Amino acid sequence: MNIIKPILTWAGAAIVITSLSSCSSSSNLTQQTAAPPNAQERKIAERVFSLVNAERAKAGKKAFRGNRNLNKMAQQHSSFQASSHLTKGKPSNFGSHNRAQYAYLKYGIENLGEIESAVPASNSDPARTAVNAWMKSAEHNRHLKQSWDLTGVGVHKANNKYYITMMVGVRPSGVPRSVRPGSIYH
């Protein structure tokens, strides 16, 4: 029996502040390149996006807005997971601190979070399988329903699996994170 194993990491802007001293060269923040998703991978990514937004709507949360840069980072991470000798083809948050730094410094996206899943390629609906696994996990469910506003999804097929990565983050609005924009006037 194949088991779906979701993995979650959350790396905030505070990590950027504490970790910048270790980034002595810009090469630490560069991203690897990945082939763009094929039509099937793009279809799965779009379905993951729709299914997660449907779950957020059920909880009364605003829909995520897709972000091209997070899509690119998620695609790169999915490709990395599929091909890396470090992860041995299993979901891994390896390098999440560097991705959080990169998203913050390059794109101004804070509190980068990522959720991964590896779904057997024989699965008839890999997007539904991944999202269901995330929703059944109390921690993943809670985090997917927080006040993130941006997301990107990457899918890469290799080793008879779909490697699915969803990255979420927030672009600062100028008000403290503990205050929801709009609520300061009520």
Side-chain angles (χ1 to χ4, degrees), residues 53-75:
N53 274 335
E55 292 293 334
R56 287 177 61 85
K58 286 183 204 174
K61 301 293 182 180
K62 287 172 53 174
F64 282 131
R65 290 180 296 136
N67 181 277
R68 178 181 331 171
N69 298 317
L70 289 180
N71 280 342
K72 183 177 172 183
M73 290 178 66
Q75 186 65 36

Side-chain angles (χ1 to χ4, degrees), residues 154-165:
V155 178
H156 185 84
K157 182 181 178 185
N159 311 318
N160 292 317
K161 294 179 186 174
Y162 285 106
Y163 294 86
I164 302 170
T165 302

Side-chain angles (χ1 to χ4, degrees), residues 16-34:
V16 173
I17 295 167
T18 59
S19 301
L20 281 177
S21 61
S22 67
C23 297
S24 58
S25 73
S26 62
S27 65
N28 288 349
L29 297 178
T30 58
Q31 291 286 300
Q32 65 195 24
T33 58

Side-chain angles (χ1 to χ4, degrees), residues 23-114:
C23 297
S24 58
S25 73
S26 62
S27 65
N28 288 349
L29 297 178
T30 58
Q31 291 286 300
Q32 65 195 24
T33 58
N38 64 35
Q40 181 64 23
E41 292 166 342
R42 191 174 359 228
K43 182 178 174 184
I44 293 168
E46 289 169 359
R47 182 147 164 77
V48 167
F49 179 78
S50 296
L51 290 169
V52 168
N53 274 335
E55 292 293 334
R56 287 177 61 85
K58 286 183 204 174
K61 301 293 182 180
K62 287 172 53 174
F64 282 131
R65 290 180 296 136
N67 181 277
R68 178 181 331 171
N69 298 317
L70 289 180
N71 280 342
K72 183 177 172 183
M73 290 178 66
Q75 186 65 36
Q76 290 168 337
H77 187 59
S78 289
S79 296
F80 166 77
Q81 292 200 94
S83 65
S84 176
H85 68 281
L86 296 172
T87 63
K88 296 183 172 79
K90 297 178 184 174
S92 167
N93 60 13
F94 180 81
S96 62
H97 296 323
N98 284 347
R99 283 187 296 284
Q101 289 174 351
Y102 187 83
Y104 179 73
L105 295 173
K106 178 112 174 145
Y107 306 123
I109 297 172
E110 293 184 351
N111 298 331
L112 185 72
E114 50 190 55

